[in-house]
Amino acid sequence: QRLTRYALNAQGPLVKGKTSLTLALDGNASYTARTIVAASPTGEVFGQVRQPTDGINASVRLVQQIGENNQLRAEYARRNNSRDNLGVGDFDLPSRAFTVADHADTVRLLNTRLIGTVFSELKFEWVAAHSDTSSVSRLPAIKVLDAFTSGGAGQSGSRQSRQLLIEQHVDFTLGRRHTLRAGVAIESGWWDSTNRSNANGTYTFSSLADYNAAAPSTYTRRIGNPQVAYSMIRAGWYLQDDVRLTRRVSVGLGV
């Protein structure tokens, strides 16, 4: 097992007192080793296989002072990850390997303003993610109980998601007794998937003797359209009031 990590950060003003920039980068490269111990028709199989994992995250954030009481923060972040040789080890031979690679992009905006005695906070967030799965081999899987498993992993397809969040919050006071906070939020998302499992079929043999005799006990395979798509949207609002009854007693109310 091995792990290598690295990071880089930089920040500073672009325009003194008005604009600042922050850059961040970090990543890792690691692997674990899986041991293969199997019995094939030609003899025992021993070996090791590496399962590497690579990831990198990068972001850039810009802070702009628009006016004396108005500030805008904008951020973009990118995440990449990949994992190889999954599904290999123990009875599973190298042909069973499959790879998963995914990435995500995130955009965030935050605007804070002071309008008279009213403090306003507006948030926006957009996240788009994608994941791909692919197998080394497209052959049907051969599973011999307590001996070995070869052939393809039968894993393939992709997943996508897009999520949106918008929030608006305000803080204000009424007289000397009421401190109020109110807000609204809208959240929505869209997801779709074409991932397949056991798409090429699996032959299961009870023993090596049955395998040599080409006599499987079962054959299974998932068929049909694997596509799944759905969406969601929800909205909410709130109002809360901290009422000062006396100098030592206050009550919080909310809906």
Side-chain angles (χ1 to χ4, degrees):
Q1 183 174 348
R2 182 177 179 180
L3 172 63
T4 302
R5 302 186 67 177
Y6 55 89
L8 174 66
N9 292 277
Q11 64 180 33
L14 296 180
V15 179
K16 187 176 180 180
K18 286 192 174 182
T19 309
S20 65
L21 181 68
T22 301
L23 301 174
L25 175 70
D26 68 84
N28 67 81
S30 64
Y31 69 82
T32 58
R34 292 294 306 274
T35 301
I36 299 174
V37 180
S40 72
T42 58
E44 294 183 340
V45 179
F46 299 98
Q48 279 192 339
V49 62
R50 289 186 177 183
Q51 295 181 327
T53 299
D54 296 298
I56 185 170
N57 301 295
S59 66
V60 53
R61 183 172 70 240
L62 183 71
V63 180
Q64 177 68 43
Q65 195 70 32
I66 300 174
E68 183 179 355
N69 300 316
N70 192 347
Q71 185 184 82
L72 176 66
R73 293 191 179 196
E75 181 181 0
Y76 168 74
R78 170 84 175 193
R79 173 182 56 81
N80 283 322
N81 284 291
S82 65
R83 293 170 291 165
D84 297 320
N85 286 336
L86 300 176
V88 180
D90 298 327
F91 293 133
D92 292 281
L93 302 182
S95 62
R96 294 279 293 162
F98 66 95
T99 297
V100 177
D102 58 76
H103 67 264
D105 297 286
T106 303
V107 176
R108 295 187 182 96
L109 298 174
L110 175 63
N111 179 236
T112 56
R113 301 180 64 185
L114 184 62
I115 308 170
T117 60
V118 178
F119 177 76
S120 170
E121 184 181 73
L122 176 63
K123 295 180 180 180
F124 171 90
E125 182 175 284
W126 170 262
V127 181
H130 184 90
S131 175
D132 285 311
T133 302
S134 58
S135 297
V136 171
S137 172
R138 294 186 178 182
L139 294 175
I142 305 296
K143 184 175 183 179
V144 181
L145 300 182
D146 297 324
F148 74 92
T149 304
S150 65
Q155 305 285 341
S156 63
S158 64
R159 289 182 180 178
Q160 297 185 74
S161 66
R162 292 150 292 167
Q163 299 178 72
L164 172 67
L165 174 65
I166 300 175
E167 295 181 351
Q168 172 67 67
H169 307 277
V170 292
D171 293 86
F172 55 98
T173 59
L174 290 178
R176 297 182 178 180
R177 294 182 179 272
H178 298 272
T179 301
L180 295 99
R181 181 174 175 85
V184 295
I186 298 176
E187 182 181 1
S188 60
W190 302 263
W191 296 267
D192 59 79
S193 171
T194 59
N195 275 6
R196 290 177 177 267
S197 178
N198 195 26
N200 303 315
T202 300
Y203 292 94
T204 302
F205 298 84
S206 299
S207 63
L208 276 173
D210 288 346
Y211 173 77
N212 291 328
S217 57
T218 61
Y219 173 74
T220 60
R221 182 185 180 189
R222 284 189 173 185
I223 61 174
N225 186 355
Q227 186 168 10
V228 176
Y230 59 98
S231 62
M232 174 275 295
I233 184 170
R234 59 186 177 185
W237 61 271
Y238 73 92
L239 174 64
Q240 62 186 49
D241 183 9
D242 292 328
V243 185
R244 177 180 290 184
L245 301 179
T246 68
R247 294 180 62 182
R248 296 185 177 182
V249 179
S250 63
V251 177
L253 305 173
V255 60

